[in-house]
Amino acid sequence: MNSLIHLTDFSLQAGVDYKEKDILKYGLNGWRLYNQSALVKIQEDPEKPEQGSVLRFGSSGSEGPLRPGIIMYKVISGFPPGYKLKFAMTARRQGAYNQPRLSFHYNGTILKTGFHLKDDYDNYFGEFTVRDDVTILAIENSITETSGNDFFISKLEIRPQGVGEISDEG
């Protein structure tokens, strides 16, 4: 059994304040931003500093709007067709105006659609069976309004079902 785990934990980058251009330099553990003009940066969550560093998607004022559609994706390989994988994202909204609504996609298929982020960090999940040699996992923004809709992501994880701990709460 392949037990490869893809873990992107932004809190491990404590004390950093990477702007969008720095993210391109330092990377996001294989995750790539897509079609975004919004300010995206790694920073400390100002309302929940105990969370450590997080990836912030800002969409208000001079930061520019967070565009609807795919906002980030990761290309995964090394798992044979038929393999079952689980995806988890830990995230929260910032503010209550135009509450963020996200979806997960796998190779163009919706895994989980239209879930709203909460005020506190929570886990959001998707499961899929690998169909091809290369898998593209994507996160989509479903809100078209150009203000509000700000949110933080603290962790992204992809692992085989039955390997390690990903709880289904959330």
Side-chain angles (χ1 to χ4, degrees):
M1 173 191 285
N2 185 339
S3 61
L4 180 66
I5 297 170
H6 296 259
L7 173 64
T8 306
D9 186 344
F10 297 104
S11 68
L12 299 177
Q13 301 183 47
V16 300
D17 189 7
Y18 297 138
K19 306 281 190 260
E20 186 172 5
K21 62 183 170 63
D22 297 329
I23 289 174
L24 299 176
K25 178 180 176 184
Y26 294 101
L28 296 169
N29 192 25
W31 285 93
R32 298 183 185 274
L33 300 177
Y34 183 76
N35 191 31
Q36 292 309 308
S37 62
L39 178 65
V40 180
K41 68 180 190 174
I42 297 173
Q43 67 174 58
E44 183 177 88
D45 183 333
E47 297 166 19
K48 300 189 182 291
E50 69 280 1
Q51 192 68 31
S53 295
V54 293
L55 181 64
R56 177 179 185 263
F57 282 83
S59 62
S60 57
S62 63
E63 297 170 351
L66 179 63
R67 297 178 181 167
I70 302 298
I71 57 172
M72 62 190 301
Y73 68 95
K74 183 168 185 164
V75 177
I76 306 162
S77 60
F79 296 103
Y83 213 78
K84 295 184 183 298
L85 295 176
K86 193 167 191 176
F87 171 68
M89 175 181 76
T90 305
R92 79 168 190 90
R93 70 181 183 196
Q94 181 183 25
Y97 185 71
N98 287 334
Q99 184 179 358
R101 189 172 68 236
L102 304 178
S103 298
F104 298 147
H105 293 254
Y106 156 68
N107 284 1
T109 300
I110 296 174
L111 294 176
K112 185 169 187 171
T113 186
F115 58 90
H116 290 274
L117 299 183
K118 301 173 185 172
D119 289 331
D120 291 318
Y121 283 95
D122 204 355
N123 295 316
Y124 302 89
F125 302 94
E127 295 179 358
F128 59 97
T129 301
V130 175
R131 295 186 312 244
D132 305 301
D133 292 334
V134 174
T135 297
I136 300 175
L137 185 62
I139 301 170
E140 176 187 28
N141 171 37
S142 302
I143 299 292
T144 58
E145 289 83 3
T146 58
S147 60
N149 195 26
D150 298 359
F151 60 93
F152 298 103
I153 297 174
S154 69
K155 190 187 312 183
L156 298 163
E157 186 173 0
I158 305 160
R159 68 172 66 218
Q161 288 184 4
V163 175
E165 298 292 325
I166 291 184
S167 165
D168 267 335
E169 299 171 14

